[in-house]
Amino acid sequence: MNFDKLVFVDLETTGTNPVADRITEIGIVEVDASGRATPWSSLVNPGVSIPSFIQGLTGISNAMVADAPSFAELAPALHERLQGALFIAHNARFDYGFLRNAFSEAGLPYKADVLCTVKLSRTLFPNERKHNLDTLIERHALKAGARHRALADADLLWQLWQKLTTSLPADTFDTALAALLQRPSLPSHLPGDALDQIPDTPGVYLFYGENDLPLYVGKSVRLRQRVLSHFNADHKLYKDMRLSQQLHRVDWRETAGEIGALLLEAQLVKDLQPVHNRLLRRQGELCAWRLKEDERGRTQPLLTYASEQDFGRADRLYGLFSSKRKAETALRELAESHQLCLLHLGLEKPSGANKPCFGWQLRHCKGVCIGKEAESFHRARLEAALSGLHVKTWPHDGPVGLVEQLGDKRTDIHVVNNWCYLGTARSEQELWTLLGQAPARPAFDLDTYKILSRAMLRGQLEIRPLA
């Protein structure tokens, strides 16, 4: 394949986040159509201090960049130099992402055809296990200069290009190049056909790192489009950049619709504990407030835990919290906003017999603690304050199947009991197997409760009672 211009690019930066970190050095080897190479490099003043470990790695100190131009000063001429060229870098997603963000901040749009030499090496030498730059230096006998300096590393890529184009048959090299440039820009550790079979249907996708370490679980009503969006935006979002750098394998599970995808995502996140999922991870032991009368006839909220009783069947439950601290914080906030007595709520210890609570002195309590307010009035105000946190009791006599259909292509039956998700069946046999294997009291999960209660309230799915 012939190109009017190639640019072999390497950057040194203050870190790995293309949004928060800054460029400290740019190295480019520009090659025209005749094969004439023109090297260019410049230190860049990042406007922030370079971390000490980065200084040790690259040899670029704060003193070296103090008088260097800023990226904004270099941007117009650099933009012109890169314009219309095939952008070639090692782990190109990193360098390309940094430059696109830096150009964007300078008010210059930049987009180029990008070739990653890691993926090029993987395509040409599929039996080799390692494709990092140090390995390629040794494998192809490249002449290394000052490693981890921008121009020296850019020159190594130009050397690699020359070695490959002269040592391999032209059609082999051109076929690999054409395949890489025609495909979506994928993370360097993924094979070129890794996403070919992903359907654009509802479901859950799973990202795995080295040694099959679970990295991330996500869901979508359009799987293929959602997975590709991670890679299209990785120069903007730090999480997507990190995922791209660590990703080695993609897996997926189809569902009939959004509810099934939401349920499966919540279950897999808790089972696999992926390193990049945070919101859906299991957080401590689930608890809630339950109203009970004490021996003196006072209605008082008592903290109860999902391990102690069946939250799906229990009545007068309020909240659902992932810790005792969060439950008490929420109750204190309600007490303050509704002038409830902290003594009656059990959140304050009495200072003596017939002594008022501290809130009475601040006019945050209406005086039930000293007989200024009737107990029945305080109870009614407490129930009204808690009403927005009421946990819905399971409205069925036993398990049900929530029927979700994808046109005439797929029917899923989500088996649910007491707000607990037992699994999804696609046949009568699978359905009864799930029921037969269900534990006597499945673990109550907050995310599953929210998904199911919302779906059932909206009437999104057909409900089939299961005897």
Side-chain angles (χ1 to χ4, degrees):
M1 297 179 71
N2 296 317
F3 299 92
D4 291 335
K5 185 165 66 171
L6 309 173
V7 285
F8 298 88
V9 182
D10 188 75
L11 306 178
E12 303 303 333
T13 64
T14 60
T16 59
N17 187 332
V19 177
D21 292 311
R22 295 292 179 263
I23 297 170
T24 59
E25 189 178 36
I26 305 169
I28 297 174
V29 177
E30 182 181 341
V31 182
D32 63 21
S34 68
R36 183 168 60 91
T38 305
W40 177 89
S41 69
S42 177
L43 289 167
V44 182
N45 187 331
V48 296
S49 179
I50 304 173
S52 56
F53 78 95
I54 296 288
Q55 293 186 51
L57 177 67
T58 65
I60 301 173
S61 66
N62 288 315
M64 290 170 63
V65 299
D67 297 323
S70 66
F71 186 87
E73 293 174 283
L74 292 169
L78 178 61
H79 191 268
E80 181 65 28
R81 185 182 295 275
L82 297 175
Q83 206 64 33
L86 175 64
F87 186 103
I88 305 169
H90 206 65
N91 284 319
R93 189 167 297 276
F94 175 88
D95 303 88
Y96 184 60
F98 261 94
L99 275 176
R100 283 200 68 175
N101 275 286
F103 276 129
S104 179
E105 289 183 6
L108 293 170
Y110 176 63
K111 189 173 183 180
D113 291 328
V114 179
L115 178 67
C116 175
T117 49
V118 175
K119 288 190 281 186
L120 179 62
S121 179
R122 283 183 176 277
T123 302
L124 293 171
F125 306 100
N127 295 326
E128 297 290 351
R129 193 167 63 88
K130 293 184 178 182
H131 300 272
N132 59 67
L133 194 51
D134 287 326
T135 299
L136 297 186
I137 290 170
E138 183 178 350
R139 183 178 300 151
H140 300 286
L142 308 180
K143 296 179 181 178
R147 283 286 283 116
H148 300 297
R149 290 299 299 270
L151 185 57
D153 285 355
D155 181 67
L156 283 169
L157 301 182
W158 168 227
Q159 291 183 49
L160 175 65
W161 182 274
Q162 294 174 88
K163 289 270 187 178
L164 295 177
T165 53
T166 56
S167 62
L168 295 172
D171 58 343
T172 300
F173 186 81
D174 287 350
T175 299
L177 211 59
L180 291 170
L181 292 175
Q182 288 174 6
R183 291 184 179 277
S185 180
L186 300 183
S188 55
H189 296 300
L190 282 184
D193 60 352
L195 309 183
D196 286 358
Q197 302 304 316
I198 299 182
D200 219 13
T201 56
V204 171
Y205 58 95
L206 304 95
F207 289 170
Y208 293 92
E210 196 170 8
N211 298 320
D212 253 9
L213 172 71
L215 296 176
Y216 185 73
V217 174
K219 54 88 181 54
S220 178
V221 293
R222 299 190 64 182
L223 274 176
R224 181 176 180 79
Q225 184 181 77
R226 181 69 187 102
V227 170
L228 288 174
S229 73
H230 280 281
F231 312 138
N232 293 335
D234 67 0
H235 61 279
K236 294 180 181 177
L237 303 178
Y238 182 50
K239 183 181 80 172
D240 285 334
M241 171 69 85
R242 291 290 307 278
L243 278 172
S244 292
Q245 292 172 339
Q246 299 170 0
L247 187 59
H248 283 247
R249 185 169 72 86
V250 178
D251 195 7
W252 60 91
R253 317 249 179 108
E254 293 183 66
T255 63
E258 182 183 21
I259 305 303
L262 286 165
L263 291 169
L264 183 57
E265 178 195 34
Q267 181 188 65
L268 288 173
V269 168
K270 291 172 179 63
D271 289 346
L272 300 177
Q273 295 285 291
V275 295
H276 288 279
N277 286 91
R278 304 220 178 263
L279 294 179
L280 290 176
R281 285 191 189 181
R282 186 178 288 112
Q283 300 175 357
E285 187 175 7
L286 199 64
C287 56
W289 293 109
R290 186 176 190 186
L291 292 181
K292 294 189 70 176
E293 287 191 0
D294 64 13
E295 64 278 359
R296 287 177 288 181
R298 299 186 309 182
T299 299
Q300 192 174 40
L302 298 177
L303 200 61
T304 182
Y305 291 86
S307 60
E308 300 171 345
Q309 62 178 294
D310 187 345
F311 273 15
R313 295 290 184 189
D315 60 353
R316 304 187 84 189
L317 279 186
Y318 301 90
L320 295 181
F321 307 96
S322 58
S323 69
K324 178 182 178 181
R325 180 181 61 81
K326 290 182 179 179
E328 291 184 343
T329 297
L331 190 57
R332 284 183 183 276
E333 290 174 352
L334 285 177
E336 184 174 345
S337 60
H338 290 78
Q339 292 184 282
L340 300 171
C341 178
L342 293 178
L343 277 176
H344 259 51
L345 298 183
L347 296 176
E348 183 181 309
K349 293 182 178 179
S351 57
N354 300 317
K355 293 285 186 180
C357 71
F358 185 64
W360 168 255
Q361 303 171 46
L362 301 176
R363 298 185 179 181
H364 291 167
C365 168
K366 292 191 175 183
V368 67
C369 46
I370 52 173
K372 296 290 184 180
E373 179 186 33
E375 164 65 27
S376 59
F377 284 4
H378 186 269
R379 179 174 63 250
R381 293 194 303 107
L382 171 60
E383 290 181 351
L386 287 170
S387 62
L389 299 178
H390 183 247
V391 179
K392 299 178 182 67
T393 305
W394 179 242
H396 302 282
D397 293 333
V400 300
L402 304 180
V403 183
E404 189 169 28
Q405 292 182 306
L406 183 61
D408 57 358
K409 297 178 181 178
R410 181 186 178 107
T411 299
D412 286 349
I413 302 176
H414 312 305
V415 183
V416 182
N417 192 20
N418 290 357
W419 299 119
C420 297
Y421 173 56
L422 305 180
T424 295
R426 297 197 63 194
S427 68
E428 288 294 314
Q429 182 179 350
E430 288 181 6
L431 190 155
W432 299 111
T433 299
L434 282 174
L435 284 173
Q437 294 176 345
R441 186 155 70 84
F444 190 95
D445 176 68
L446 175 57
D447 301 301
T448 301
Y449 167 75
K450 289 179 178 178
I451 294 165
L452 291 171
S453 59
R454 190 182 303 119
M456 294 172 74
L457 178 66
R458 294 174 179 173
Q460 288 178 272
L461 304 177
E462 175 194 340
I463 299 176
R464 173 185 167 186
L466 302 175

